[in-house]
Amino acid sequence: VFTTVMMDDILIFSVLLAIAPVALLDFKEQMRIKNLENALPNFFRDLAGMNDSGMTLPNAVHIVAGAEYSTLTPHIKALDNDMSWGAGFVEAMYRFGKNLKTPLADRSVDLIAKASKAGGDISEVLRAAAKDTFEVVNLATERSNNMLIYVIIVLVSFAVFLFVVAILVSTFLTTMATAGASAASSGAKGFMGQIDLFQYKRLFTHAALLQGFFSGLVAGQMGEGRLMSGLKYSAIMLFIAWLTFRFFI
């Protein structure tokens, strides 16, 4: 255990195998949510415009379903099919929001459905929903852009740590280990104890792995407001740290 890195490698790859699939699935889910929510304002705005032109809601949905709204398009077509089979607008919209499975969609659909039940002007309600979703998406994008610099700082700090450790090991510690070994072989006393370079490298490896994992979580919390989003950074930095210490330091 203390003279080989095999156990370290097993633990590292076990952690990577545990968090990498979760990080990938979370990344795909966040991209899906982002694409859907980015398309919602245009959908609500176009639907309001069609309704203003005198079309009934089923006809307006049918026309809008022929347009391109990225990943939202299949869900709009499902909404069109639902209404074409006789489902009411409110009922169909609730199913539409349920299928999207995003917080912003649930909020917007609930707003539209309750306003429709209350007998409000559906076009105005749709415009209000479009404005609301646009502002929420815009604020999220603005926050992400503003916090990007802090994510970069975290990543650069990790790279600087690896660079400093590489210089320290390749110059200072290597020289001291060589000098200590030479002094010990010549019988000199009082110079210094023999430096175990392997154990120092292993200690720095563990430090880099811990920093990489937790720095990734911090980057996710700062950049996207979610620790789970930091798993992708953690997985990348763990692998980079392992690669650096196994093949370059």
Side-chain angles (χ1 to χ4, degrees):
V1 173
F2 296 103
T3 58
T4 179
V5 297
M6 183 177 68
M7 185 61 68
D8 292 349
D9 292 346
I10 292 174
L11 289 174
I12 291 166
F13 278 97
S14 297
V15 172
L16 285 174
L17 286 174
I19 67 174
V22 177
L24 180 61
L25 290 174
D26 181 72
F27 176 74
K28 290 180 66 177
E29 175 64 11
Q30 292 307 306
M31 289 300 297
R32 183 190 73 85
I33 292 174
K34 182 179 179 181
N35 290 334
L36 288 175
E37 293 185 345
N38 285 342
L40 277 176
N42 291 332
F43 167 60
F44 291 143
R45 195 178 298 113
D46 292 346
L47 196 58
M50 292 290 180
N51 188 246
D52 275 342
S53 67
M55 290 185 181
T56 61
L57 281 173
N59 287 337
V61 171
H62 181 71
I63 296 297
V64 171
E68 179 57 42
Y69 294 95
S70 184
T71 53
L72 187 63
T73 303
H75 297 282
I76 299 174
K77 290 181 177 179
L79 174 65
D80 177 37
N81 292 334
D82 204 6
M83 295 185 69
S84 68
W85 281 95
F89 177 70
V90 173
E91 180 186 356
M93 283 300 293
Y94 271 127
R95 276 200 286 265
F96 172 74
K98 185 178 179 180
N99 290 334
L100 292 182
K101 299 177 182 177
T102 75
L104 184 57
D106 290 339
R107 169 179 162 177
S108 301
V109 166
D110 192 52
L111 169 67
I112 294 170
K114 287 181 177 178
S116 299
K117 287 180 179 179
D121 186 347
I122 191 62
S123 296
E124 290 301 321
V125 173
L126 288 169
R127 284 197 181 85
K131 183 179 179 181
D132 179 66
T133 52
F134 175 77
E135 289 179 352
V136 171
V137 169
N138 191 47
L139 285 173
T141 303
E142 185 177 346
R143 178 190 181 279
S144 179
N145 292 337
N146 290 337
M147 297 302 293
L148 180 61
I149 183 64
Y150 297 102
V151 175
I152 294 174
I153 288 172
V154 171
L155 300 178
V156 170
S157 299
F158 176 71
V160 169
F161 176 79
L162 290 182
F163 177 76
V164 170
V165 169
I167 297 299
L168 183 64
V169 171
S170 63
T171 56
F172 179 74
L173 286 179
T174 301
T175 302
M176 297 298 287
T178 303
S182 299
S185 62
S186 63
K189 295 182 179 180
F191 175 65
M192 66 178 69
Q194 188 171 358
I195 295 178
D196 190 342
L197 191 59
F198 173 78
Q199 291 300 332
Y200 274 101
K201 285 184 179 180
R202 195 174 188 190
L203 177 64
F204 284 130
T205 301
H206 293 168
L209 292 171
L210 289 173
Q211 181 179 352
F213 180 79
F214 289 106
S215 293
L217 297 181
V218 171
Q221 181 66 40
M222 294 178 68
E224 301 177 41
R226 299 169 60 252
L227 281 177
M228 187 69 71
S229 298
L231 285 179
K232 56 181 177 291
Y233 300 115
S234 295
I236 292 171
M237 287 193 282
L238 276 175
F239 183 72
I240 290 176
W242 175 83
L243 201 66
T244 301
F245 280 94
R246 287 295 173 271
F247 298 102
F248 300 104
I249 296 179

Short mmCIF file of all heavy atoms in Angstrom, two decimals, residues 75 78 121 137 172 188 191 209 214:
data_model
loop_
_atom_site.label_atom_id
_atom_site.label_comp_id
_atom_site.label_asym_id
_atom_site.label_seq_id
_atom_site.Cartn_x
_atom_site.Cartn_y
_atom_site.Cartn_z
N HIS A 75 -42.43 18.89 -28.99
CA HIS A 75 -43.41 19.10 -27.93
C HIS A 75 -44.58 19.96 -28.42
O HIS A 75 -45.73 19.74 -28.03
CB HIS A 75 -42.75 19.76 -26.72
CG HIS A 75 -41.68 18.92 -26.09
ND1 HIS A 75 -41.96 17.86 -25.25
CD2 HIS A 75 -40.32 18.98 -26.19
CE1 HIS A 75 -40.83 17.30 -24.84
NE2 HIS A 75 -39.82 17.96 -25.40
N ALA A 78 -46.72 17.75 -30.43
CA ALA A 78 -47.53 16.91 -29.54
C ALA A 78 -48.71 17.70 -28.98
O ALA A 78 -49.83 17.17 -28.85
CB ALA A 78 -46.66 16.37 -28.40
N ASP A 121 -57.79 37.91 -21.47
CA ASP A 121 -57.42 37.95 -22.89
C ASP A 121 -56.23 37.03 -23.10
O ASP A 121 -55.13 37.30 -22.61
CB ASP A 121 -57.07 39.39 -23.29
CG ASP A 121 -56.80 39.52 -24.79
OD1 ASP A 121 -56.66 38.47 -25.45
OD2 ASP A 121 -56.73 40.66 -25.27
N VAL A 137 -34.80 33.81 -18.76
CA VAL A 137 -33.71 33.24 -19.55
C VAL A 137 -32.58 34.26 -19.69
O VAL A 137 -31.38 33.91 -19.58
CB VAL A 137 -34.22 32.80 -20.94
CG1 VAL A 137 -33.05 32.47 -21.86
CG2 VAL A 137 -35.16 31.62 -20.81
N PHE A 172 13.79 21.42 -6.86
CA PHE A 172 14.20 21.46 -5.46
C PHE A 172 14.24 20.07 -4.82
O PHE A 172 15.28 19.65 -4.28
CB PHE A 172 13.25 22.37 -4.68
CG PHE A 172 13.57 22.45 -3.22
CD1 PHE A 172 14.67 23.16 -2.77
CD2 PHE A 172 12.76 21.80 -2.29
CE1 PHE A 172 14.96 23.23 -1.41
CE2 PHE A 172 13.05 21.86 -0.94
CZ PHE A 172 14.15 22.58 -0.50
N ALA A 188 28.53 11.06 5.54
CA ALA A 188 28.43 12.38 6.17
C ALA A 188 27.24 12.41 7.11
O ALA A 188 26.19 11.85 6.81
CB ALA A 188 28.30 13.46 5.11
N PHE A 191 24.09 16.53 7.79
CA PHE A 191 23.75 17.32 6.61
C PHE A 191 22.23 17.37 6.44
O PHE A 191 21.62 18.41 6.52
CB PHE A 191 24.43 16.74 5.38
CG PHE A 191 24.02 17.44 4.10
CD1 PHE A 191 24.35 18.76 3.90
CD2 PHE A 191 23.31 16.76 3.13
CE1 PHE A 191 23.99 19.41 2.72
CE2 PHE A 191 22.94 17.40 1.95
CZ PHE A 191 23.29 18.72 1.75
N LEU A 209 -5.41 15.89 -6.26
CA LEU A 209 -6.68 15.21 -6.51
C LEU A 209 -7.80 15.82 -5.66
O LEU A 209 -8.91 16.06 -6.15
CB LEU A 209 -6.55 13.72 -6.22
CG LEU A 209 -5.64 12.93 -7.18
CD1 LEU A 209 -5.42 11.52 -6.65
CD2 LEU A 209 -6.24 12.88 -8.57
N PHE A 214 -12.74 19.16 -5.27
CA PHE A 214 -13.54 20.17 -4.57
C PHE A 214 -13.54 21.51 -5.30
O PHE A 214 -14.52 22.26 -5.23
CB PHE A 214 -13.03 20.33 -3.14
CG PHE A 214 -13.34 19.15 -2.26
CD1 PHE A 214 -12.35 18.26 -1.89
CD2 PHE A 214 -14.65 18.90 -1.85
CE1 PHE A 214 -12.63 17.15 -1.10
CE2 PHE A 214 -14.95 17.79 -1.06
CZ PHE A 214 -13.93 16.92 -0.69
#
